[in-house]
Amino acid sequence: VTDLPSSGNTIARTVAVYENYVMLGFTTEGGTSYPFRVRRCDTGDPTNWTSGNAGFDDLLDGTSDIQFMNKIGPYVIVYRDKEIVRGELVAADDKLFDFNTAVAEDGVIGPEGVATVGDSDIFIGHKTIWQYQGGTDIKDIGGPIFEKIFGVSGDLNTQYRNRIRADFISELGEAWFVYPIS
């Protein structure tokens, strides 16, 4: 991608497209890590990251890193380690986006731990498997497999949680989670 900050020396943990913006989450710019940053290109121009509406928002209302971003309904959803933040385009004179914590109960355990299923996401959190539809609550859907993964005899190895992967297998109508075991 041309024209990225720090003379192009920018990487991101997650990327999303929302309302004519390419958005980067948890960036490292010129060797400096910004785990709470959501950076955006100029409106409709993914090659312009330095002028126009290009810029960034640092999500400082929480203390956990950005793991994943996705669009649900009218929002860009920012999944953090311990919470979920909803972003909305407001296009006001003094503010382009408004980001607010929507869920403080849990967050996604690893950067690839979210599976998009239609108009909702299913993700593996620290406590269970959740379904999120873009509102201010999450639904616990991990009951049948809770003991196998999270229980006293559960086999999830949280030391390697960054290796967790979630995918929706549309042909089967199933969300699959691959995770490291102890």
Side-chain angles (χ1 to χ4, degrees), residues 69-152:
M69 296 188 312
N70 194 24
K71 182 182 185 301
I72 297 180
Y75 304 106
V76 60
I77 307 301
V78 181
Y79 291 93
R80 298 175 82 166
D81 187 43
K82 296 181 181 159
E83 59 262 348
I84 300 171
V85 175
R86 289 189 314 190
E88 184 174 17
L89 179 66
V90 293
D93 289 340
D94 61 338
K95 182 186 250 187
L96 188 60
F97 285 91
D98 188 30
F99 288 95
N100 293 294
T101 300
V103 176
E105 187 173 345
D106 200 357
V108 68
I109 197 169
E112 295 187 51
V114 181
T116 299
V117 181
D119 59 353
S120 67
D121 287 337
I122 296 176
F123 68 95
I124 187 166
H126 294 272
K127 302 174 185 175
T128 191
I129 302 222
W130 302 98
Q131 180 181 28
Y132 181 62
Q133 296 180 305
T136 57
D137 62 337
I138 49 180
K139 180 180 176 184
D140 180 353
I141 62 170
I145 58 173
F146 177 84
E147 284 301 321
K148 173 78 176 137
I149 300 173
F150 301 97
V152 175

Side-chain angles (χ1 to χ4, degrees), residues 5 24 27 29 34 36-41 49 53-59 96-97 99:
L24 309 175
T27 61
E29 303 172 15
Y34 297 99
F36 311 139
R37 179 162 290 176
V38 176
R39 183 171 282 285
R40 66 184 174 275
C41 68
W49 294 85
N53 283 332
F56 64 87
D57 291 284
D58 285 329
L59 309 183
L96 188 60
F97 285 91
F99 288 95

